[in-house]
Amino acid sequence: MSQPIQIHPAKGFKERSLAALNDPAQRKNFRGAMDFLQMKRRAQFPDPKDLSSLRDLGEAIRRYSLARLPDLLEQLERNLTANGIQVHWAETPDQANAIALGIARRVDARLIAKGKSMVSEEVGFNHAMEAAGIETLETDMGEYIVQLAGEAPSHIIMPAIHKTKQQIAALFAEKIPGVAYSEDVDTLIQIGRRVLRRKFAAADIGLSGVNFAVAETGTLFLVENEGNGRMCTTVPRVHIAITGIEKVVAKLEHVPPLNSLLPRSATGQPVTTYLNLISSPRKAGELDGPEEVHLILVDNGRTQAYGDLQLRATLQCIRCGACMNHCPVYARIGGPRLRHHLSGPDRRHHLAPPARSRRHLPAVLRLDAVPRLRRRLSGAHPDHRSADPLAQ
Amino acid sequence: MEHKSGLSRAYPAKPGNVYLFATCLIDQFAPEAGLDTVRLLEREGIAVHFPEGQTCCGQPAYTSGYPDEARDVARHQLDLFPEPWPVVVPSGSCGAMLRHHYPKLFAANPALAAKAQTLAERTFELTEFLVHVVGFARNDSGAPCTIALHTSCHARREMGCHETSEALLAGLKQVKVTEQARIEECCGFGGTFSMRFPHISEAIVTDKVESLCATGAGRVVSADCGCLFNITGRAAKLDEIAGRSEPTLSGEHIASFLWRRTAGETS
């Protein structure tokens, strides 16, 4: 049964969007950045028909996966476990944070180095860890800048896109000991890199997101450009990956078409600098890699979205951010005024069903096991009998 | 499931009869664009039928998140076009609603879904119909002029009608269509969006007017009245603010523009 849709308008949106419209410097930043990203994506997809058919294929793969979500999640858990990766299920943000905190306490962690993860933003990970006395450090350069400034990311792919190099220069000079003001971008990157390198060595836990979790092989697929993701997932003794339950795909061969869409749509790159396929902790005889790998699978309303015919398609999203880059509203008011982990005016409703569906969850649910999830996900999916899109 | 690559479709031979689905904005605010649509079609030897009972297509409710209310409005249209004739819509926005969203709205009801599907399959946006079904090829009898073309988001992205609008204008030998910056960007109207978030809508349309004025054309042609009213309304307001007595930018529906340019001709 689908639940009634509750719309909770973002509080103070009008005031914040007015302030953004009246900030010419920031509007210029966003406009320029969005024009650039649109141009980069166009260059990656010169033939609209190719793009259309690739999007159709990507959508078919996502629908195929979602149609089998309960089965695939079980298979994923089985295969990850067989590979030595420990799987945890979180119904709510609090549960997700409690699981991470449990691991952190057990290994006596003081510092968590974080690769980019929007789900960690969604569950308020940094806040929960810091409340427990554990330092978190964002290691994606954009996320690092935003964290240093005490702000929220303004774009899911480019978190600090609202900041100018002058603002970043001032921020670094103010917050990083011994750093002089410099507007030179290479210098700024080197400053950030030096800070982060030292921290990687000291981190007890590395946290990352997941782009696609492959059920058949028990593999976590992660794209990134800075190498910080690989540092987070290999240098600290413990790696915790956190992601939404919708990110599962059936087979490894389903990843290339999706990954052919993702970076080209997101940043206009044919491929990201780093592709990480994480399939186990360090094995006997291996010289590097974490001793423990954990995956926290977060529901946070996704099963509600799954059960709602209108919202289910939102789970197909691969988080490329191209919709933001092409959004005429986003280009004018940007993200930081919107105060939501998935910035954008209506995306709050489209991509983040949890925010409003959480209230419908029966309080007695203790979603720490797949069978319960399976019951929640029950209900015939119209695509259930569809054939493997790559087998056609 | 409607796929994005489903923009390409098979077109029928030129029919003897069509229905006109005129849209609210034309009915209420721009009847001349509707009448010019009728004139264009009748001149091609096509009888145009206008079912009086037609109302709004339901899009405002649909895009505001009220599918049940939208379904009620859409349900009312399903029985208005009983003959198997094409339904011509002088708007890419309303046309896309009938063509792409009606089948989804009625997916849960097989009998109505079948009706919605047949209606969707014979729904054509005006410029699409003129190019692909009529084979419109009238000579331009107007004086040389320069215009800008604006294509609505729905017409461009759901119907591919920027191409048919461009093709029709390219067939007018004395008309020069200018290049404009960010041609594919929304004008800021967005139906109910402009009422819910007028300040953001205004920022977007101000940029659109700027892009259009920068072309130097002084006239914008569009196949969607929603965009046209939004753009020309903002342009007039900016003129007023600046104390200009002559309009910087005027607008015209493409049906009226085509009719005016080729009016000297009879078949």
Side-chain angles (χ1 to χ4, degrees):
Chain A
M1 281 299 290
S2 70
Q3 298 279 357
I5 295 182
Q6 303 281 325
I7 302 291
H8 302 296
K11 273 213 180 74
F13 172 77
K14 191 174 176 191
E15 292 70 28
R16 292 200 301 278
S17 54
L18 267 172
L21 288 172
N22 293 321
D23 183 343
Q26 187 188 285
R27 274 185 70 176
K28 197 160 161 269
N29 285 356
F30 271 100
R31 180 80 255 184
M34 296 308 117
D35 283 349
F36 179 69
L37 288 164
Q38 286 181 22
M39 183 265 290
K40 293 256 287 177
R41 181 170 183 266
R42 242 190 324 268
Q44 283 296 322
F45 296 109
D47 182 349
K49 287 197 174 62
D50 282 352
L51 172 59
S52 263
S53 49
L54 188 57
R55 285 175 71 180
D56 285 351
L57 176 60
E59 181 173 21
I61 289 171
R62 291 299 296 128
R63 287 168 68 100
Y64 177 88
S65 310
L66 289 173
R68 293 156 182 77
L69 189 56
D71 291 341
L72 291 181
L73 284 168
E74 281 190 314
Q75 191 189 9
L76 178 71
E77 180 179 40
R78 232 173 16 247
N79 288 330
L80 285 171
T81 307
N83 289 345
I85 296 175
Q86 299 172 52
V87 179
H88 311 265
W89 301 85
E91 164 96 20
T92 63
D94 286 349
Q95 286 178 12
N97 291 327
I99 291 163
L101 203 53
I103 298 168
R105 291 234 163 91
R106 182 170 52 71
V107 302
D108 195 21
R110 307 267 167 82
L111 172 64
I112 300 177
K114 291 183 66 200
K116 205 164 162 5
S117 156
M118 291 314 293
V119 174
S120 78
E121 285 286 331
E122 175 187 330
V123 302
F125 182 87
N126 293 10
H127 183 74
M129 294 306 120
E130 274 148 30
I134 298 168
E135 186 190 349
T136 60
L137 178 76
E138 298 288 351
T139 66
D140 173 275
M141 190 58 69
E143 294 280 358
Y144 172 68
I145 291 165
V146 163
Q147 188 186 31
L148 208 56
E151 295 172 0
S154 56
H155 188 286
I156 65 170
I157 309 292
M158 288 142 288
I161 197 129
H162 59 290
K163 292 197 112 52
T164 60
K165 62 183 177 185
Q166 291 82 4
Q167 289 168 329
I168 295 166
L171 178 72
F172 278 16
E174 182 200 333
K175 301 271 178 146
I176 305 173
V179 164
Y181 182 94
S182 166
E183 290 178 11
D184 179 64
V185 174
D186 286 338
T187 305
L188 290 170
I189 293 287
Q190 285 309 317
I191 292 167
R193 189 172 184 274
R194 267 201 309 277
V195 174
L196 294 174
R197 284 271 150 174
R198 281 199 298 272
K199 290 280 196 178
F200 279 124
D204 309 291
I205 293 177
L207 186 106
S208 78
V210 175
N211 292 100
F212 307 109
V214 185
E216 189 183 55
T217 55
T219 306
L220 306 177
F221 184 85
L222 180 65
V223 297
E224 44 129 355
N225 279 316
E226 299 172 14
N228 67 308
R230 185 163 298 174
M231 295 289 275
C232 286
T233 58
T234 56
V235 175
R237 200 156 63 77
V238 176
H239 168 212
I240 301 175
I242 184 166
T243 197
I245 56 168
E246 83 283 11
K247 287 285 179 66
V248 63
V249 296
K251 302 171 184 175
L252 198 55
E253 71 202 59
H254 287 175
V255 171
L258 295 175
N259 194 51
S260 181
L261 281 166
L262 180 57
R264 291 161 83 193
S265 300
T267 49
Q269 294 172 283
V271 69
T272 48
T273 315
Y274 292 83
L275 299 175
N276 303 290
L277 286 89
I278 298 155
S279 52
S280 78
R282 183 192 301 206
K283 290 176 185 160
E286 287 182 344
L287 295 177
D288 56 14
E291 291 160 23
E292 290 178 25
V293 180
H294 299 264
L295 175 67
I296 303 175
L297 284 163
V298 179
D299 179 352
N300 194 21
R302 287 166 174 78
T303 49
Q304 291 283 314
Y306 190 81
D308 185 307
L309 284 176
Q310 290 177 66
L311 288 176
R312 184 178 290 160
T314 60
L315 299 176
Q316 295 171 16
C317 175
I318 60 170
R319 304 289 196 268
C320 68
C323 58
M324 301 169 75
N325 301 344
H326 290 75
C327 176
V329 178
Y330 183 84
R332 283 163 183 88
I333 63 175
R337 312 279 183 178
L338 305 172
R339 301 204 186 138
H340 195 266
H341 69 279
L342 293 171
S343 42
D346 281 322
R347 236 152 265 101
R348 181 184 165 82
H349 305 311
H350 294 156
L351 293 190
R356 70 167 171 280
S357 52
R358 206 177 307 149
R359 62 162 53 185
H360 300 300
L361 290 178
V364 295
L365 280 176
R366 187 182 58 86
L367 192 91
D368 55 358
V370 176
R372 193 174 289 271
L373 180 65
R374 177 184 275 288
R375 278 201 294 283
R376 292 280 303 283
L377 289 171
S378 67
H381 189 293
D383 293 342
H384 193 65
R385 284 180 297 278
S386 67
D388 183 343
L390 292 183
Q392 284 165 11
Chain B
M1 176 64 205
E2 189 70 52
H3 284 299
K4 288 108 206 158
S5 54
L7 286 180
S8 56
R9 63 190 296 194
Y11 291 100
K14 194 172 101 176
N17 297 277
V18 298
Y19 288 113
L20 174 65
F21 185 77
T23 82
C24 306
L25 290 180
I26 285 183
D27 190 33
Q28 305 288 325
F29 303 112
E32 206 54 37
L35 293 172
D36 287 333
T37 299
V38 174
R39 290 180 186 118
L40 284 169
L41 293 168
E42 285 181 343
R43 187 175 56 180
E44 303 296 332
I46 298 169
V48 180
H49 303 262
F50 180 78
E52 291 275 346
Q54 61 184 274
T55 65
C56 169
C57 65
Q59 193 190 145
Y62 184 67
T63 53
S64 300
Y66 294 90
D68 294 337
E69 289 79 355
R71 199 174 293 110
D72 284 348
V73 180
R75 172 74 190 84
H76 175 72
Q77 321 303 320
L78 289 184
D79 296 323
L80 289 175
F81 310 97
E83 301 296 333
W85 305 329
V87 177
V88 176
V89 189
S91 157
S93 183
C94 313
M97 182 69 191
L98 268 64
R99 172 147 171 73
H100 296 292
H101 299 284
Y102 273 22
K104 283 191 248 173
L105 267 179
F106 295 103
N109 181 328
L112 294 179
K115 271 190 178 180
Q117 189 57 39
T118 45
L119 177 59
E121 280 163 15
R122 57 197 171 91
T123 295
F124 301 91
E125 186 268 352
L126 174 65
T127 65
E128 176 192 23
F129 189 79
L130 288 175
V131 169
H132 292 297
V133 181
V134 170
F136 187 88
R138 297 279 165 179
N139 287 327
D140 183 6
S141 55
C145 78
T146 302
I147 60 159
L149 172 68
H150 174 75
T151 308
S152 80
C153 295
H154 292 139
R156 173 181 295 273
R157 295 181 173 85
E158 291 188 303
M159 304 290 275
C161 290
H162 54 302
E163 290 173 0
T164 45
S165 283
E166 284 162 10
L168 288 169
L169 296 177
L172 303 174
K173 296 302 171 217
Q174 305 284 348
V175 174
K176 181 172 179 273
V177 182
T178 55
E179 301 275 325
Q180 60 180 281
R182 301 189 189 104
I183 188 166
E184 72 289 340
E185 195 169 77
C186 174
C187 72
F189 176 54
T192 53
F193 170 81
S194 60
M195 279 160 263
R196 288 171 64 209
F197 301 106
H199 54 299
I200 303 174
S201 177
E202 184 188 297
I204 301 174
V205 71
T206 302
D207 291 346
K208 180 60 75 181
V209 168
E210 206 171 274
S211 293
L212 288 166
C213 288
T215 67
R219 173 175 294 270
V220 57
V221 167
S222 177
D224 274 271
C225 279
C227 311
L228 266 184
F229 295 158
N230 189 44
I231 292 167
T232 53
R234 183 62 188 158
K237 184 75 188 171
L238 291 170
D239 284 341
E240 188 192 313
I241 292 167
R244 290 186 288 261
S245 53
E246 289 298 306
T248 316
L249 188 66
S250 60
E252 193 169 16
H253 192 278
I254 197 166
S256 298
F257 185 72
L258 284 173
W259 177 255
R260 199 163 55 76
R261 298 297 303 189
T262 62
E265 258 200 297
T266 49
S267 53

